[in-house]
DNA sequence: CATGAATGAGCGTTCATTCAT
DNA sequence: TATGAATGAACGCTCATTCAT
């Protein structure tokens, strides 16, 4: 008589990456549609096309799920902006690039950005997970500019606050039309350059 | 058994206002303590020292209640900053005053500010109520400065984005110590002045 | 205009004792019918004719509810048996009375007794609540008999184990007919008397 | 991908038995640790080191599994006590042996005994399975003693109720220290002898 | 006006069981 | 045979809201 044992190989890998992805997308989509507190597991599961119980195959709890997705995306925007910087850029160009990339990321990845923002604004959730990897890449960039006397020698949190928060608030304005936003963005870039760059004698 | 009181006067009326006020304070306090989605009617009622049913004497629904309170406080910060501007101030001083007042409001009225921020960040809620009264007072101030060629002639939403958002993000950082924030605030004010003021030849 | 305040009096006492009683009865009945682990809140609520949420008006949690009901009934049987003892009884009669009363209680209050037994047999539950009030009345009775040299001078837990456990096991046998149980009870009483009473020279 | 093994012998067979055994042990262990209603299939499977689905290879359902295990162990204690009886024992010794063995079984096989007790106390489960094999061996022993006029001529259920239930209740008391239990057991044995043995003229 | 009681709907989660491999 | 994935049903419980007084 034959006895067969199944080998734990590729064929048996049944934890479905596609399914987990669709859950993640459903989370982000549902939170955008229903707000953070309106995104229940059952709504998310319905949006993902799975049973509520299936969510718990992939995540230990709702909080853990949100935290995992947050961790995955929280630093995404900084990776994005840093990747678009090149060596040839001078200080002025670099500031423009960073601000513009930040804006572009928001328009291109609105749902994800919105999710991260929502999550960040809830202290109860965000306090449990800290990861500052790619953000620090921005910090290194700024440190270099300061050393090279290109930008003013102030704390990085001051610089990033000035560079990213105004453009964020513009990008998220639901009432302002994109064309207007473009113009505003140009003005903003000039003004941030004025604020940050050292005046050359 | 019913007991009747005939006397009806200011004292009686004030009692009701008092109750509504304590509900409002309870809302803001509870949302700070428990987060937006942890602030249930029963918790709020308990914090206010009334029955859950009493809340519905003053408000039609939970959403209506939050909206009412939001409307009451959403523009509070702009009233605050405008009130602290005086006629003698030149452009530079005016910018400093606006930014500093904005920062002071957040530190002094943290609970209210937190509530307004939380509410604002939920589109489902905020879309139903728009009021731009006191913010426009800031707009008038800026328009005047632009007409007098003191600050650059750009859209007001650009200016306010640059003036208020960086300082907000600094003020809300939970990890940064107040002493550090003070220094950052000074730097920020200088840089916002550099960004906004017209360069004098 | 009239203002009336409601006095918190008998008329306003709306927490319905009858409803709480019907919940208690539903608990006991449902546990008998469905077993301890089959008695869910929703089944209990249905049996009591209320909404599941209503249960939580009267009890903080399911465990607290079971514990409350247990505490109310756990010593009931000892109250019952002690109450049926009279001063005139000699040792032999007293033993007969205690055993017979214990048996009668079980047949008369089968549901309650079953609930208490089920609860007692779950260590996780019973460890959180200890009350030994009426049981100790039995202990005092036995101490007196020992002092008066009527029964053997052994530990009370030994005596109660011998007096009550055999009759309990008989009473709970579902397959044995009541007539047979009567005969068995008589035999049991004689033998327990033989076991406990000091032999007179 | 499938891998085939041809060799099929005792070793293979034993492996399956081993797996079923480890499931059985996991059931008993988990019920002791988590209580009857805390012993879910997934917890049991985890404790046994198998997948939840594997349990259903060996048993049709959870109830069937519990019933099977119950049937296997329910009469174990009577096999145990009967095996420790020898021909040379007189009536007094025999009673002592039975009672003491019963006590020893409980202390030695606490987990199994606890499982059987828990199962027995749930009518919904126990009603579906009846087997009185080894218990009847005790009955034959008692019948013989009665015929030989050593013990009183009463129904066997009366005798077993008196012999086994008190000692069970003592053995299961979690608060009483083992040393105390020893003394109680001695007293109990004397008293059960007094109750059961025919008085010699 | 003010309340504690009451509730249907929904929450996050776990269950016993089945499926696909 | 053995498995991790998948699930409908049910769990205990809380919610915003209404009811009866």
């Amino acid at each position: 008589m034959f006895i067969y044992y199944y080998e734990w190989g590729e064929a048996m890998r049944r934890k479905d990456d596609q399914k987990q992805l669709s859950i993640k997308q459903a989370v982000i989509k549902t939170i955008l549609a229903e707000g953070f507190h309106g995104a229940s597991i059952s709504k998310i599961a319905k949006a993902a096309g799975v049973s509520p119980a299936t969510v718990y195959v992939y995540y230990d709890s709702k909080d853990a799920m949100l935290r995992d997705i947050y961790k995955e995306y929280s630093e995404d925007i900084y990776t994005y902006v840093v990747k678009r910087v090149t060596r040839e850029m001078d200080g002025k160009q670099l500031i423009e690039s960073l601000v513009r990339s930040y804006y572009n990321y928001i328009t291109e990845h609105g749902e994800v950005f919105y999710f991260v923002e929502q999550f960040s604004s809830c202290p109860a959730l965000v306090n449990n997970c800290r990861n500052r990897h790619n953000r620090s890449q921005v910090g290194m960039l700024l440190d270099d500019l300061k050393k090279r006397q290109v930008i003013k020698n102030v704390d990085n949190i001051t610089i990033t606050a000035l560079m990213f928060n105004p453009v964020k608030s513009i990008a998220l304005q639901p009432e302002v039309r994109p064309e207007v936003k473009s113009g505003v963005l140009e003005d903003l870039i000039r003004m941030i350059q004025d604020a940050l760059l050292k005046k050359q004698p």
Side-chain angles (χ1 to χ4, degrees), chain A residues 125-138:
Chain A
L125 294 173
V126 84
N127 281 341
N128 297 335
C129 53
R130 293 247 151 268
N131 56 332
R132 299 282 147 194
H133 190 7
N134 296 310
R135 171 169 289 197
S136 70
Q137 281 190 263
V138 176

Side-chain angles (χ1 to χ4, degrees), chain A residues 36 41 55-56 59-71 115 119 122 124-126 128-129:
Chain A
F36 214 82
I41 288 285
V55 173
Y56 290 87
Y59 299 102
D60 283 344
S61 68
K62 190 188 181 187
D63 274 17
M65 179 183 69
L66 296 177
R67 222 162 35 228
D68 268 30
I69 299 176
Y70 172 72
K71 276 181 180 158
F115 167 80
F119 190 97
C122 184
L125 294 173
V126 84
N128 297 335
C129 53

Side-chain angles (χ1 to χ4, degrees), chain A residues 38-50:
Chain A
S40 68
I41 288 285
S42 62
K43 282 180 190 167
I44 289 165
K46 195 163 289 176
V50 300

Side-chain angles (χ1 to χ4, degrees), chain A residues 23-199:
Chain A
I23 291 173
K24 271 194 288 208
Q25 290 171 333
V27 167
I28 288 166
K29 193 180 121 194
T30 308
I31 282 179
L32 185 68
E34 312 261 5
F36 214 82
H37 75 279
S40 68
I41 288 285
S42 62
K43 282 180 190 167
I44 289 165
K46 195 163 289 176
V50 300
S51 152
T54 304
V55 173
Y56 290 87
V57 172
Y58 294 93
Y59 299 102
D60 283 344
S61 68
K62 190 188 181 187
D63 274 17
M65 179 183 69
L66 296 177
R67 222 162 35 228
D68 268 30
I69 299 176
Y70 172 72
K71 276 181 180 158
E72 184 170 346
Y73 290 115
S74 65
E75 299 297 299
D76 210 27
I77 193 168
Y78 298 106
T79 311
Y80 182 97
V81 301
V82 165
K83 204 181 286 176
R84 274 151 187 82
V85 166
T86 62
R87 290 191 178 281
E88 305 79 65
M89 292 179 177
D90 62 16
K92 201 173 166 187
Q93 289 171 319
L94 207 148
I95 289 170
E96 169 160 4
S97 172
L98 290 174
V99 175
R100 206 180 284 283
S101 298
Y102 197 91
Y103 179 83
N104 288 342
Y105 181 92
I106 298 175
T107 55
E108 289 167 17
H109 305 85
E111 293 191 349
V112 167
F113 187 81
Y114 180 76
F115 167 80
V116 171
E117 280 293 294
Q118 288 282 312
F119 190 97
S120 301
S121 75
C122 184
L125 294 173
V126 84
N127 281 341
N128 297 335
C129 53
R130 293 247 151 268
N131 56 332
R132 299 282 147 194
H133 190 7
N134 296 310
R135 171 169 289 197
S136 70
Q137 281 190 263
V138 176
M140 285 161 60
L141 225 61
L142 298 177
D143 289 339
D144 183 56
L145 290 174
K146 281 188 279 188
K147 198 162 57 185
R148 284 163 41 213
Q149 307 253 27
V150 179
I151 63 171
K152 293 171 186 164
N153 188 30
V154 298
D155 197 325
N156 281 349
I157 65 170
T158 320
I159 300 172
T160 53
L162 205 90
M163 269 205 303
F164 297 135
N165 285 286
V167 64
K168 181 207 296 186
S169 100
I170 297 297
L172 294 180
Q173 295 271 2
E175 306 158 353
V176 181
R177 297 209 317 283
E179 312 89 83
V180 178
K181 286 184 183 179
S182 285
V184 166
L185 182 62
E186 301 306 319
D187 290 340
L188 214 42
I189 288 167
R190 298 309 144 232
M191 290 162 81
I192 294 170
Q193 288 167 338
D194 288 344
L196 293 180
L197 291 170
K198 278 216 164 176
K199 284 161 205 143

